[in-house]
Protein backbone atom coordinates (compact mmCIF):
# COMPACT_ATOMS: atom_id res chain seq x y z
CA UNK A 1 0.00 0.00 0.00
CA UNK A 2 1.18 3.51 -0.82
CA UNK A 3 1.06 6.50 1.52
CA UNK A 4 0.63 9.97 0.04
CA UNK A 5 1.83 12.93 2.10
CA UNK A 6 0.74 16.43 1.08
CA UNK A 7 3.97 18.28 1.87
CA UNK A 8 3.67 21.43 -0.21
CA UNK A 9 2.35 23.89 2.37
CA UNK A 10 3.97 27.26 3.14
CA UNK A 11 2.81 27.40 6.77
CA UNK A 12 2.07 31.12 6.96
CA UNK A 13 0.56 30.89 10.48
CA UNK A 14 3.62 29.12 11.85
CA UNK A 15 6.22 31.11 9.92
CA UNK A 16 7.40 32.69 13.17
CA UNK A 17 8.97 29.34 14.14
CA UNK A 18 10.97 29.00 10.89
CA UNK A 19 10.15 30.71 7.59
CA UNK A 20 13.22 29.43 5.73
CA UNK A 21 11.86 25.90 5.12
CA UNK A 22 8.55 24.42 3.92
CA UNK A 23 6.08 23.75 6.72
CA UNK A 24 6.70 19.95 6.93
CA UNK A 25 10.44 20.60 7.39
CA UNK A 26 10.06 22.74 10.51
CA UNK A 27 12.02 20.96 13.21
CA UNK A 28 10.76 19.75 16.56
CA UNK A 29 13.48 18.74 18.99
CA UNK A 30 15.97 18.80 16.12
CA UNK A 31 13.97 16.68 13.66
CA UNK A 32 11.61 17.76 10.83
CA UNK A 33 7.88 17.10 11.21
CA UNK A 34 8.03 15.07 8.00
CA UNK A 35 10.72 12.80 9.43
CA UNK A 36 8.52 11.99 12.44
CA UNK A 37 5.77 11.02 9.99
CA UNK A 38 8.01 8.81 7.86
CA UNK A 39 9.48 7.06 10.90
CA UNK A 40 6.00 6.38 12.28
CA UNK A 41 4.89 4.96 8.93
CA UNK A 42 8.03 2.82 8.51
CA UNK A 43 7.65 1.37 12.01
CA UNK A 44 4.28 -0.08 10.95
CA UNK A 45 5.42 -1.31 7.53
CA UNK A 46 4.05 1.56 5.45
CA UNK A 47 7.24 2.10 3.46
CA UNK A 48 6.01 3.07 -0.04
CA UNK A 49 5.64 6.84 0.14
CA UNK A 50 4.72 9.53 -2.37
CA UNK A 51 5.56 13.09 -1.31
CA UNK A 52 3.61 15.88 -2.98
CA UNK A 53 5.92 18.90 -2.80
CA UNK A 54 5.70 22.52 -3.89
CA UNK A 55 6.95 25.52 -1.94
CA UNK A 56 10.72 25.04 -1.32
CA UNK A 57 10.28 21.41 -2.29
CA UNK A 58 13.97 21.11 -3.18
CA UNK A 59 14.75 21.22 0.56
CA UNK A 60 12.58 18.14 1.12
CA UNK A 61 14.16 16.29 -1.80
CA UNK A 62 17.69 17.04 -0.67
CA UNK A 63 16.96 15.89 2.89
CA UNK A 64 15.10 12.63 2.18
CA UNK A 65 16.37 11.64 -1.27
CA UNK A 66 14.91 8.27 -2.31
CA UNK A 67 14.08 7.47 1.32
CA UNK A 68 16.51 4.57 1.67
CA UNK A 69 18.30 6.24 4.58
CA UNK A 70 14.97 6.21 6.44
CA UNK A 71 13.93 2.65 5.59
CA UNK A 72 11.35 3.62 2.96
CA UNK A 73 11.06 4.26 -0.76
CA UNK A 74 10.00 7.78 -1.77
CA UNK A 75 8.61 9.05 -5.07
CA UNK A 76 7.91 12.73 -5.62
CA UNK A 77 5.14 14.67 -7.30
CA UNK A 78 6.05 18.33 -7.71
CA UNK A 79 3.45 21.06 -8.09
CA UNK A 80 4.50 23.68 -10.60
CA UNK A 81 1.86 25.98 -9.17
CA UNK A 82 -0.20 25.75 -5.95
CA UNK A 83 -3.04 23.23 -6.42
CA UNK A 84 -4.67 23.45 -3.00
CA UNK A 85 -4.96 20.50 -0.65
CA UNK A 86 -5.99 17.99 -3.32
CA UNK A 87 -5.31 19.22 -6.87
CA UNK A 88 -2.11 17.17 -7.18
CA UNK A 89 -4.04 13.94 -6.60
CA UNK A 90 -4.78 14.02 -10.33
CA UNK A 91 -1.23 12.80 -10.90
CA UNK A 92 -1.73 9.76 -8.66
CA UNK A 93 -3.54 7.98 -11.49
CA UNK A 94 -0.09 7.04 -12.75
CA UNK A 95 0.94 5.53 -9.39
CA UNK A 96 -2.05 4.06 -7.55
CA UNK A 97 -4.47 1.24 -8.41
CA UNK A 98 -5.63 0.28 -4.89
CA UNK A 99 -6.54 1.80 -1.53
CA UNK A 100 -4.03 4.30 -0.18
CA UNK A 101 -3.33 6.33 2.94
CA UNK A 102 -3.41 10.11 2.57
CA UNK A 103 -2.15 12.49 5.22
CA UNK A 104 -1.38 16.15 5.68
CA UNK A 105 2.29 17.01 6.00
CA UNK A 106 1.86 19.21 9.07
CA UNK A 107 0.61 16.68 11.64
CA UNK A 108 2.36 14.70 14.33
CA UNK A 109 0.61 11.36 14.79
CA UNK A 110 1.01 7.86 16.14
CA UNK A 111 -1.98 5.61 15.50
CA UNK A 112 -2.60 1.92 14.88
CA UNK A 113 -2.85 2.17 11.11
CA UNK A 114 -3.72 -1.49 10.58
CA UNK A 115 -6.76 -1.18 12.86
CA UNK A 116 -7.78 2.00 11.03
CA UNK A 117 -7.47 0.21 7.68
CA UNK A 118 -9.48 -2.82 8.83
CA UNK A 119 -12.36 -0.53 9.70
CA UNK A 120 -12.07 1.20 6.31
CA UNK A 121 -12.35 -2.18 4.54
CA UNK A 122 -15.32 -3.23 6.68
CA UNK A 123 -17.14 -0.09 5.57
CA UNK A 124 -16.35 -0.68 1.88
CA UNK A 125 -15.95 3.10 1.79
CA UNK A 126 -14.63 5.42 -0.88
CA UNK A 127 -13.06 7.40 1.96
CA UNK A 128 -12.68 6.89 5.71
CA UNK A 129 -11.70 9.90 7.81
CA UNK A 130 -9.78 9.60 11.07
CA UNK A 131 -11.79 11.71 13.51
CA UNK A 132 -11.15 12.60 17.13
CA UNK A 133 -12.09 15.21 19.73
CA UNK A 134 -9.88 18.25 20.13
CA UNK A 135 -9.46 21.19 22.50
CA UNK A 136 -10.73 23.82 20.04
CA UNK A 137 -13.82 22.41 18.27
CA UNK A 138 -15.38 25.87 18.11
CA UNK A 139 -12.91 26.87 15.36
CA UNK A 140 -12.68 23.46 13.67
CA UNK A 141 -14.76 21.69 11.06
CA UNK A 142 -17.18 19.25 12.72
CA UNK A 143 -17.91 15.83 11.23
CA UNK A 144 -21.35 14.36 11.97
CA UNK A 145 -21.78 10.60 11.61
CA UNK A 146 -24.45 8.06 12.49
CA UNK A 147 -23.92 5.22 14.95
CA UNK A 148 -22.58 3.04 12.12
CA UNK A 149 -19.86 5.55 11.22
CA UNK A 150 -21.48 6.88 8.03
CA UNK A 151 -20.97 10.65 7.63
CA UNK A 152 -24.26 12.56 7.57
CA UNK A 153 -23.02 16.16 7.58
CA UNK A 154 -19.87 18.26 7.59
CA UNK A 155 -19.92 21.65 9.31
CA UNK A 156 -17.15 24.00 8.25
CA UNK A 157 -15.76 26.67 10.55
CA UNK A 158 -18.10 29.33 9.22
CA UNK A 159 -21.26 27.21 9.38
CA UNK A 160 -23.85 27.94 12.06
CA UNK A 161 -24.00 25.41 14.88
CA UNK A 162 -25.56 25.12 18.33
CA UNK A 163 -24.88 21.80 20.10
CA UNK A 164 -22.53 19.35 18.44
CA UNK A 165 -20.43 16.25 19.11
CA UNK A 166 -16.77 17.25 19.35
CA UNK A 167 -15.40 15.26 16.41
CA UNK A 168 -13.06 16.80 13.87
CA UNK A 169 -11.21 15.55 10.80
CA UNK A 170 -7.61 14.93 11.92
CA UNK A 171 -5.94 14.94 8.48
CA UNK A 172 -5.51 11.16 8.11
CA UNK A 173 -7.58 9.33 5.49
CA UNK A 174 -7.81 5.93 3.87
CA UNK A 175 -9.07 6.37 0.32
CA UNK A 176 -10.18 4.01 -2.41
CA UNK A 177 -8.45 4.47 -5.76
CA UNK A 178 -11.99 5.14 -7.09
CA UNK A 179 -11.57 8.62 -5.63
CA UNK A 180 -9.02 9.39 -8.33
CA UNK A 181 -11.72 9.10 -11.00
CA UNK A 182 -13.10 12.39 -9.67
CA UNK A 183 -10.00 14.22 -10.93
CA UNK A 184 -10.49 14.92 -14.62
CA UNK A 185 -8.06 17.81 -14.97
CA UNK A 186 -5.27 19.58 -13.12
CA UNK A 187 -6.79 22.42 -11.12
CA UNK A 188 -6.70 23.89 -7.65
CA UNK A 189 -8.88 21.68 -5.43
CA UNK A 190 -9.83 21.65 -1.76
CA UNK A 191 -9.81 18.10 -0.37
CA UNK A 192 -12.51 18.65 2.25
CA UNK A 193 -14.95 20.89 0.34
CA UNK A 194 -14.51 19.70 -3.25
CA UNK A 195 -13.75 15.98 -2.84
CA UNK A 196 -14.78 14.48 0.51
CA UNK A 197 -17.89 16.38 1.60
CA UNK A 198 -19.61 15.83 -1.80
CA UNK A 199 -19.35 12.06 -1.12
CA UNK A 200 -21.91 12.29 1.71
CA UNK A 201 -25.01 11.70 -0.49
CA UNK A 202 -23.41 8.56 -1.94
CA UNK A 203 -23.21 6.95 1.51
CA UNK A 204 -19.56 6.10 0.85
CA UNK A 205 -17.93 8.51 3.32
CA UNK A 206 -17.23 7.09 6.80
CA UNK A 207 -15.33 7.92 9.97
CA UNK A 208 -12.93 5.98 12.13
CA UNK A 209 -13.15 7.58 15.56
CA UNK A 210 -10.20 7.16 17.91
CA UNK A 211 -8.54 8.95 20.86
CA UNK A 212 -5.06 8.30 19.46
CA UNK A 213 -2.61 11.18 19.07
CA UNK A 214 -2.96 13.41 16.01
CA UNK A 215 -2.20 17.12 16.22
CA UNK A 216 -1.55 19.66 13.48
CA UNK A 217 1.22 22.23 13.66
CA UNK A 218 -0.84 25.13 12.34
CA UNK A 219 0.02 27.64 15.08
CA UNK A 220 2.96 28.34 17.41
CA UNK A 221 0.85 27.31 20.44
CA UNK A 222 0.15 23.89 18.93
CA UNK A 223 3.80 23.54 17.92
CA UNK A 224 4.97 23.96 21.50
CA UNK A 225 2.24 21.64 22.79
CA UNK A 226 3.39 18.89 20.41
CA UNK A 227 6.98 19.46 21.45
CA UNK A 228 5.98 18.90 25.09
CA UNK A 229 3.92 15.81 24.18
CA UNK A 230 6.84 14.24 22.31
CA UNK A 231 9.14 14.89 25.27
CA UNK A 232 6.70 13.33 27.73
CA UNK A 233 6.13 10.23 25.59
CA UNK A 234 2.41 11.00 25.25
CA UNK A 235 2.44 10.82 21.43
CA UNK A 236 3.55 7.19 21.20
CA UNK A 237 1.74 6.11 24.37
CA UNK A 238 -1.65 6.98 22.83
CA UNK A 239 -1.23 4.42 20.01
CA UNK A 240 -3.91 1.81 20.71
CA UNK A 241 -1.37 -0.96 20.30
CA UNK A 242 -0.22 0.17 23.74
CA UNK A 243 -2.24 -0.34 26.92
CA UNK A 244 -4.25 2.77 27.81
CA UNK A 245 -5.49 4.07 31.13
CA UNK A 246 -8.74 5.94 31.65
CA UNK A 247 -10.63 8.04 34.12
CA UNK A 248 -14.27 7.00 33.85
CA UNK A 249 -16.79 9.66 34.84
CA UNK A 250 -20.39 9.37 35.94
CA UNK A 251 -22.58 12.03 34.32
CA UNK A 252 -25.44 13.34 36.51
CA UNK A 253 -24.13 14.93 39.70
CA UNK A 254 -20.53 14.50 38.55
CA UNK A 255 -20.29 16.40 35.27
CA UNK A 256 -23.64 18.20 35.27
CA UNK A 257 -25.80 19.45 38.11
CA UNK A 258 -28.14 16.77 39.45
CA UNK A 259 -31.81 17.45 38.68
CA UNK A 260 -33.19 13.94 39.07
CA UNK A 261 -33.96 12.17 35.81
CA UNK A 262 -32.76 14.71 33.26
CA UNK A 263 -35.25 14.78 30.38
CA UNK A 264 -35.08 18.41 29.22
CA UNK A 265 -31.91 19.66 27.54
CA UNK A 266 -32.51 23.10 29.06
CA UNK A 267 -31.91 21.58 32.51
CA UNK A 268 -28.39 20.44 31.57
CA UNK A 269 -25.77 22.63 33.25
CA UNK A 270 -22.12 21.82 33.98
CA UNK A 271 -21.01 21.67 37.59
CA UNK A 272 -18.55 24.41 38.53
CA UNK A 273 -14.94 23.50 37.76
CA UNK A 274 -15.82 20.43 35.66
CA UNK A 275 -14.32 21.72 32.40
CA UNK A 276 -11.05 22.50 34.19
CA UNK A 277 -11.06 19.01 35.73
CA UNK A 278 -11.68 17.28 32.39
CA UNK A 279 -8.97 19.37 30.76
CA UNK A 280 -6.55 18.12 33.41
CA UNK A 281 -7.48 14.57 32.45
CA UNK A 282 -6.87 15.42 28.77
CA UNK A 283 -3.44 16.82 29.55
CA UNK A 284 -2.47 13.92 31.81
CA UNK A 285 -2.48 11.06 29.31
CA UNK A 286 -5.58 9.39 30.79
CA UNK A 287 -8.61 8.95 28.55
CA UNK A 288 -11.73 10.83 29.73
CA UNK A 289 -14.76 8.55 29.27
CA UNK A 290 -18.32 9.09 30.49
CA UNK A 291 -20.19 6.07 31.90
CA UNK A 292 -23.86 6.75 32.53
CA UNK A 293 -27.07 4.86 33.33
CA UNK A 294 -29.88 6.40 31.27
CA UNK A 295 -33.09 4.56 32.21
CA UNK A 296 -35.08 7.48 30.77
CA UNK A 297 -34.65 5.78 27.39
CA UNK A 298 -36.31 2.54 28.50
CA UNK A 299 -38.97 4.48 30.36
CA UNK A 300 -39.87 6.35 27.16
CA UNK A 301 -39.15 9.75 28.68
CA UNK A 302 -36.27 10.62 26.33
CA UNK A 303 -35.59 9.35 22.81
CA UNK A 304 -32.15 8.25 21.62
CA UNK A 305 -32.04 11.38 19.44
CA UNK A 306 -32.89 13.63 22.40
CA UNK A 307 -30.22 11.99 24.56
CA UNK A 308 -27.68 12.48 21.77
CA UNK A 309 -28.53 16.18 21.70
CA UNK A 310 -28.08 16.42 25.49
CA UNK A 311 -24.67 14.81 25.12
CA UNK A 312 -23.86 17.16 22.24
CA UNK A 313 -24.61 20.08 24.58
CA UNK A 314 -22.27 18.55 27.18
CA UNK A 315 -19.47 18.23 24.61
CA UNK A 316 -20.04 21.74 23.28
CA UNK A 317 -19.92 23.35 26.73
CA UNK A 318 -16.74 21.45 27.61
CA UNK A 319 -15.17 22.30 24.24
CA UNK A 320 -15.75 26.01 24.77
CA UNK A 321 -13.35 25.75 27.71
CA UNK A 322 -10.75 23.60 25.93
CA UNK A 323 -11.83 20.24 27.39
CA UNK A 324 -13.08 17.12 25.63
CA UNK A 325 -14.39 13.60 26.19
CA UNK A 326 -12.79 10.67 24.41
CA UNK A 327 -15.98 8.59 24.50
CA UNK A 328 -19.45 8.36 26.03
CA UNK A 329 -21.07 5.06 27.02
CA UNK A 330 -24.61 4.85 28.36
CA UNK A 331 -26.96 2.07 29.38
CA UNK A 332 -30.50 2.58 27.98
CA UNK A 333 -32.03 -0.31 29.94
CA UNK A 334 -34.24 -0.40 33.04
CA UNK A 335 -35.50 -3.64 34.62
CA UNK A 336 -38.66 -2.31 36.30
CA UNK A 337 -41.85 -2.24 34.24
CA UNK A 338 -45.07 -0.30 34.47
CA UNK A 339 -44.14 3.14 33.10
CA UNK A 340 -46.41 4.88 30.61
CA UNK A 341 -44.68 5.02 27.23
CA UNK A 342 -41.95 2.55 28.21
CA UNK A 343 -39.96 0.68 25.54
CA UNK A 344 -40.61 -3.04 26.20
CA UNK A 345 -37.44 -4.37 24.56
CA UNK A 346 -35.33 -2.18 26.86
CA UNK A 347 -37.03 -3.24 30.09
CA UNK A 348 -34.55 -6.00 30.80
CA UNK A 349 -31.86 -7.11 33.21
CA UNK A 350 -28.64 -6.28 31.33
CA UNK A 351 -24.89 -6.47 31.88
CA UNK A 352 -24.22 -2.78 31.27
CA UNK A 353 -26.34 -1.04 33.91
CA UNK A 354 -24.21 0.14 36.85
CA UNK A 355 -23.20 -1.34 39.28
CA UNK A 356 -22.49 -4.05 36.70
CA UNK A 357 -19.23 -3.33 34.85
CA UNK A 358 -20.41 -3.91 31.25
CA UNK A 359 -19.81 -0.37 29.98
CA UNK A 360 -16.29 -0.27 31.43
CA UNK A 361 -15.50 -3.68 29.95
CA UNK A 362 -16.73 -2.51 26.54
CA UNK A 363 -14.59 0.63 26.73
CA UNK A 364 -11.59 -1.47 27.74
CA UNK A 365 -12.12 -3.68 24.70
CA UNK A 366 -12.58 -0.71 22.33
CA UNK A 367 -9.53 1.22 23.51
CA UNK A 368 -7.19 -1.44 24.93
CA UNK A 369 -7.55 -0.05 28.47
CA UNK A 370 -5.81 -1.52 31.51
CA UNK A 371 -8.66 -1.29 34.03
CA UNK A 372 -6.32 -1.91 36.97
CA UNK A 373 -4.57 1.38 36.12
CA UNK A 374 -7.84 3.25 35.65
CA UNK A 375 -10.31 5.10 37.87
CA UNK A 376 -14.09 5.35 38.16
CA UNK A 377 -15.41 8.60 39.65
CA UNK A 378 -18.99 9.32 40.65
CA UNK A 379 -21.37 10.61 43.28
CA UNK A 380 -23.33 7.41 43.88
CA UNK A 381 -22.65 4.04 45.46
CA UNK A 382 -23.39 2.28 42.15
CA UNK A 383 -20.55 4.23 40.51
CA UNK A 384 -18.08 2.96 43.08
CA UNK A 385 -19.35 -0.61 42.95
CA UNK A 386 -19.20 -0.52 39.15
CA UNK A 387 -15.58 0.60 39.25
CA UNK A 388 -14.65 -2.07 41.77
CA UNK A 389 -16.48 -4.75 39.78
CA UNK A 390 -14.38 -3.79 36.76
CA UNK A 391 -11.13 -3.84 38.75
CA UNK A 392 -10.62 -0.05 38.77
CA UNK A 393 -9.60 2.28 41.54
CA UNK A 394 -12.46 4.53 42.62
CA UNK A 395 -13.11 8.11 43.71
CA UNK A 396 -16.28 9.49 45.29
CA UNK A 397 -17.58 13.05 45.19
CA UNK A 398 -18.60 13.45 48.81
CA UNK A 399 -17.95 11.00 51.64
CA UNK A 400 -17.81 7.21 51.23
CA UNK A 401 -16.29 4.28 53.02
CA UNK A 402 -16.15 2.28 49.78
CA UNK A 403 -14.01 4.52 47.58
CA UNK A 404 -10.21 4.79 47.44
CA UNK A 405 -10.42 8.59 47.25
CA UNK A 406 -13.09 11.04 48.44
CA UNK A 407 -13.38 14.80 48.06
CA UNK A 408 -15.97 17.52 47.57
CA UNK A 409 -15.76 17.99 43.78
CA UNK A 410 -14.61 16.32 40.57
CA UNK A 411 -11.74 18.78 40.30
CA UNK A 412 -10.55 17.97 43.83
CA UNK A 413 -10.69 14.23 43.12
CA UNK A 414 -8.78 14.65 39.86
CA UNK A 415 -6.09 16.69 41.63
CA UNK A 416 -5.60 13.90 44.15
CA UNK A 417 -5.48 11.18 41.45
CA UNK A 418 -2.99 13.06 39.30
CA UNK A 419 -0.73 13.78 42.27
Amino acid sequence: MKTVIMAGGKGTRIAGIDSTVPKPMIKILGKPILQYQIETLAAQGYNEIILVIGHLGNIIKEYFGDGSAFGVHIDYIEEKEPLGTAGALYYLKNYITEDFLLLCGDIIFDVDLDKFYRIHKQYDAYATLFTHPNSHPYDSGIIKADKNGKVTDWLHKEDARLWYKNRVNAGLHFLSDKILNLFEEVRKTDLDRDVLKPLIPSGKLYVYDSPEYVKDMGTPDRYYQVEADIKSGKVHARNLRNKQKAIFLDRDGTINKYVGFLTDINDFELEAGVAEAVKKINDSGYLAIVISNQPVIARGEVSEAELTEIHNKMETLLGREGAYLDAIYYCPHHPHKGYAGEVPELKIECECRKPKPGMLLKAAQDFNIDLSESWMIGDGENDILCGKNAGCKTAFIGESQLADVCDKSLKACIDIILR
Side-chain angles (χ1 to χ4, degrees):
M1 179 182 293
K2 295 187 184 297
T3 299
V4 179
I5 304 177
M6 307 301 288
K10 289 185 177 181
T12 52
R13 291 184 300 167
I14 200 173
I17 301 295
D18 189 345
S19 61
T20 66
V21 296
K23 188 177 183 181
M25 291 301 290
I26 292 176
K27 291 184 177 181
I28 307 175
L29 302 175
K31 190 161 60 177
I33 297 168
L34 193 52
Q35 186 174 340
Y36 282 100
Q37 294 187 335
I38 289 173
E39 289 175 350
T40 298
L41 292 166
Q44 297 191 47
Y46 290 72
N47 51 22
E48 290 291 329
I49 296 172
I50 299 171
L51 295 182
V52 178
I53 60 175
H55 175 67
L56 299 178
N58 60 298
I59 295 176
I60 294 175
K61 270 187 155 181
E62 290 169 4
Y63 189 91
F64 290 102
D66 65 1
S68 57
F70 301 90
V72 298
H73 173 78
I74 298 176
D75 289 312
Y76 294 89
I77 292 176
E78 189 166 359
E79 295 180 342
K80 302 303 181 184
E81 60 184 30
L83 295 175
T85 54
L89 296 186
Y90 172 86
Y91 297 111
L92 294 181
K93 294 180 179 183
N94 299 324
Y95 292 89
I96 291 178
T97 58
E98 59 182 1
D99 291 347
F100 63 100
L101 176 63
L102 175 69
L103 57 121
C104 302
D106 62 349
I107 58 174
I108 291 293
F109 71 97
D110 197 335
V111 309
D112 184 346
L113 293 171
D114 287 347
K115 183 177 181 182
F116 181 13
Y117 183 59
R118 286 196 300 272
I119 298 298
H120 169 69
K121 293 304 289 182
Q122 288 173 18
Y123 289 150
D124 190 29
Y126 286 170
T128 304
L129 316 177
F130 185 104
T131 58
H132 65 163
N134 75 10
S135 60
H136 52 98
Y138 45 82
D139 69 356
S140 302
I142 296 295
I143 309 296
K144 293 186 174 183
D146 65 20
K147 62 182 180 181
N148 297 315
K150 185 182 295 185
V151 177
T152 59
D153 201 0
W154 190 318
L155 301 179
H156 297 293
K157 297 178 185 180
E158 69 274 14
D159 293 334
R161 60 182 79 170
L162 180 58
W163 310 126
Y164 52 86
K165 184 178 179 68
N166 178 352
R167 287 301 181 272
V168 305
N169 182 16
L172 282 167
H173 326 73
F174 271 111
L175 304 180
S176 164
D177 60 311
K178 295 182 179 70
I179 286 286
L180 302 179
N181 296 330
L182 302 175
F183 295 85
E184 298 178 350
E185 60 180 341
V186 179
R187 63 182 178 86
K188 191 171 185 178
T189 306
D190 183 272
L191 178 65
D192 292 352
R193 296 170 189 264
D194 300 332
V195 180
L196 297 176
K197 185 176 180 178
L199 290 175
I200 294 175
S202 73
K204 289 293 189 177
L205 182 64
Y206 283 81
V207 300
Y208 170 69
D209 193 53
S210 173
E212 292 168 289
Y213 194 100
V214 184
K215 190 177 286 291
D216 75 80
M217 313 299 299
T219 65
D221 285 348
R222 293 175 203 165
Y223 171 90
Y224 291 118
Q225 181 61 60
V226 168
E227 183 178 59
D229 290 341
I230 292 173
K231 282 182 178 179
S232 70
K234 181 178 179 180
V235 175
H236 179 63
R238 272 296 177 91
N239 187 307
L240 290 184
R241 296 185 180 194
N242 302 315
K243 278 292 182 183
Q244 305 297 306
K245 55 184 181 178
I247 295 179
F248 298 104
L249 305 168
D250 173 49
R251 196 193 78 177
D252 300 316
T254 301
I255 289 180
N256 56 286
K257 293 183 178 179
Y258 184 75
V259 294
F261 290 115
L262 196 155
T263 59
D264 185 341
I265 192 171
N266 295 310
D267 292 334
F268 185 95
E269 184 180 351
L270 293 179
E271 288 276 12
V274 160
E276 182 183 354
V278 174
K279 190 173 188 310
K280 287 187 175 187
I281 300 174
N282 302 149
D283 294 340
S284 72
Y286 283 90
L287 301 178
I289 298 176
V290 166
I291 302 292
S292 180
N293 286 347
Q294 288 300 317
V296 289
I297 301 293
R299 289 162 48 144
E301 296 166 346
V302 173
S303 68
E304 296 269 3
E306 289 169 331
L307 181 63
T308 295
E309 195 67 1
I310 290 170
H311 287 162
N312 288 347
K313 181 176 181 179
M314 174 169 62
E315 295 210 48
T316 303
L317 295 177
L318 289 170
R320 287 175 182 173
E321 299 187 56
Y324 58 85
L325 300 170
D326 293 292
I328 299 172
Y329 292 83
Y330 65 88
C331 169
H333 306 113
H334 189 237
H336 305 140
K337 300 179 181 179
Y339 295 85
E342 67 185 22
V343 182
E345 60 268 28
L346 297 178
K347 304 297 289 185
I348 61 172
E349 289 284 354
C350 63
E351 294 303 315
C352 52
R353 180 174 167 83
K354 293 182 290 186
K356 293 181 179 178
M359 288 186 280
L360 276 69
L361 299 179
K362 180 66 166 63
Q365 180 182 31
D366 291 344
F367 301 125
N368 194 22
I369 295 170
D370 182 348
L371 292 171
S372 69
E373 292 295 321
S374 300
W375 290 77
M376 177 73 213
I377 305 179
D379 67 330
E381 182 177 293
N382 279 346
D383 300 318
I384 304 308
L385 293 175
C386 175
K388 288 185 175 298
N389 288 335
C392 296
K393 296 181 279 290
T394 59
F396 188 81
I397 299 173
E399 296 183 3
S400 170
Q401 299 297 316
L402 295 175
D404 299 295
V405 165
C406 298
D407 216 308
K408 60 185 178 181
S409 68
L410 176 62
K411 180 179 176 298
C413 289
I414 293 299
D415 286 341
I416 293 171
I417 290 170
L418 298 183
R419 279 202 299 269

